[in-house]
Amino acid sequence: MLYAIIAQDRDGSLAARLEARPQHLRRLQKLLEEGRLVLAGPHPAIDAADPGPAGFSGSLIVAEFSDLEAARAWADADPYVAAGVYGKVRVKPFKQVLP
């Protein structure tokens, strides 16, 4: 089943985000290679593709996991969590309708 991982960044976490980004992307790449990643990306803090020093307000990941517990465990182990980037992470079942 698909799950949405909706994360909210802590204020002032851009430097920590940039430092932890390579490890974060490696985990996402593994999901992609396994055919389980639907989409992933950050929410710019301002209305711009490149928010510069404004940074990001959070992230959205939609991926397939065996169950909600597995999705939560994966989200809890994210390098952004360990680095203190995310202040809040919600994991919810997701039903893709389109495309």
Side-chain angles (χ1 to χ4, degrees):
M1 181 165 179
L2 295 178
Y3 294 88
I5 300 169
I6 306 154
Q8 183 177 353
D9 284 17
R10 294 182 192 276
D11 291 339
S13 64
L14 181 58
R17 175 184 268 274
L18 295 175
E19 185 175 329
R21 188 171 188 261
Q23 299 94 323
H24 172 77
L25 292 178
R26 276 195 291 276
R27 292 182 83 232
L28 290 172
Q29 183 64 38
K30 186 171 189 288
L31 285 179
L32 181 64
E33 290 167 2
E34 294 170 352
R36 297 170 44 205
L37 183 65
V38 174
L39 65 88
H43 301 285
I46 60 173
D47 189 12
D50 180 358
F56 300 91
S57 62
S59 300
L60 171 64
I61 299 166
V62 177
E64 183 180 346
F65 294 93
S66 59
D67 54 36
L68 183 57
E69 185 176 315
R72 284 186 177 143
W74 189 92
D76 288 346
D78 193 290
Y80 283 172
V81 172
V85 174
Y86 293 156
K88 180 178 181 183
V89 178
R90 293 174 49 207
V91 181
K92 300 169 63 169
F94 181 81
K95 181 177 177 172
Q96 183 175 1
V97 175
L98 293 172

